[in-house]
Amino acid sequence: MTDESWAGWYRDRRGSEAVILTTDGQQLRIRIRGTDFEGGSFDGLGPAPGTPAPEGLFDLADGVLDDCVLEWDLPLPVLVSGTVRQATLSCLLSLRRADPDLYLALHLDGAVYESNRAEGDFAAALATVQRALPPGLHLQTCIACAFSDYFPAPARGLSGGLACFRGAKDAYRDVVGGDDVAGLWDRRTGFVQEIWSCREFEPRPAHGAGTGHRGAFPLELA
C-alpha cells in the first residue's frame, strides 16, 4: 500500500496547530508539537517507538492521546452510476477515552452528505453517510468492500479493526454469518482503516453469500 497524507488540525486545552496525518491504510502516523505519534486506530495514537513520552505537552490516557480534537479532510472515491468520482470527506473526531465522538461530512458536486453528530465509530458513521446518498451513489472504501469484515464479537473499536480478505477472495465470496468468518479469520490479509480504499475494491453484495458477519453495506448486523 502507498502512503497517503491528509492535512488537518489538532486542538487541545493547550492550543491548536496544523498537522499532517499519514497512513498506509493500516498504521496511522502524526507529528504534533515535535512529537511523533502512531497507532492502528485513531484512538490508539501513542508516542512512536523510541520517542520519549512527552511531559506536560499532551493529555495521555493509557499512553495514547486523549482529551483532544482531530480534524482533517481526505479524498474519497465515490461510484456514481458505475463511474469513479473523487469526493472530499471531512472528519471531526473528539477523543475522550470513555466516549469518542465522530462526525463525517462527504462533499460532492456542491452537496454535503453527513453522518450523525456523535457517531461511535467509523463503520457506523460511514453507513450513515451512505444512507444519505442518492440512489446510484456508493462509497468506494474498505468498509463498503466485498472483501472486508469484523471478527464476530459483541463490540468493535473506533477504527482499524476491519479485516481485509483480498488474499482469500474466492473463499470469502461464499461466507455467510459469523461462524464462516471465524473459520476464515486466519486467512485475512491484515487489518485496514474503514476510510481507506485500494485498487482491488469490489462493491459488497446486497444479500446472501459474501455478506459475511456484518451483512451488506450499509446494513449492519454486527
Side-chain angles (χ1 to χ4, degrees), residues 22-90:
T22 301
T23 180
D24 59 2
Q26 299 175 324
Q27 195 76 353
L28 302 160
R29 302 185 300 277
I30 189 172
R31 170 170 284 192
I32 310 169
R33 297 174 188 148
T35 300
D36 291 321
F37 291 85
E38 64 179 46
S41 176
F42 285 95
D43 59 350
L45 295 170
T51 301
E55 295 187 7
L57 292 178
F58 307 95
D59 292 311
L60 302 180
D62 299 324
V64 299
L65 286 172
D66 189 43
D67 197 19
C68 61
V69 174
L70 284 171
E71 187 173 2
W72 70 99
D73 291 340
L74 65 140
L76 194 78
V78 176
L79 287 171
V80 182
S81 299
T83 301
V84 178
R85 300 272 297 280
Q86 286 294 331
T88 297
L89 185 69
S90 296

Side-chain angles (χ1 to χ4, degrees), residues 61-131:
D62 299 324
V64 299
L65 286 172
D66 189 43
D67 197 19
C68 61
V69 174
L70 284 171
E71 187 173 2
W72 70 99
D73 291 340
L74 65 140
L76 194 78
V78 176
L79 287 171
V80 182
S81 299
T83 301
V84 178
R85 300 272 297 280
Q86 286 294 331
T88 297
L89 185 69
S90 296
C91 308
L92 179 61
L93 175 62
S94 177
L95 281 175
R96 296 189 299 273
R97 182 60 32 217
D99 186 23
D101 284 345
L102 173 67
Y103 165 69
L104 303 179
L106 184 77
H107 302 263
L108 178 65
D109 295 337
V112 181
Y113 306 97
E114 302 173 284
S115 74
N116 295 318
R117 286 285 170 176
E119 300 275 14
D121 58 59
F122 278 84
L126 288 164
T128 304
V129 171
Q130 179 61 61
R131 293 188 189 100

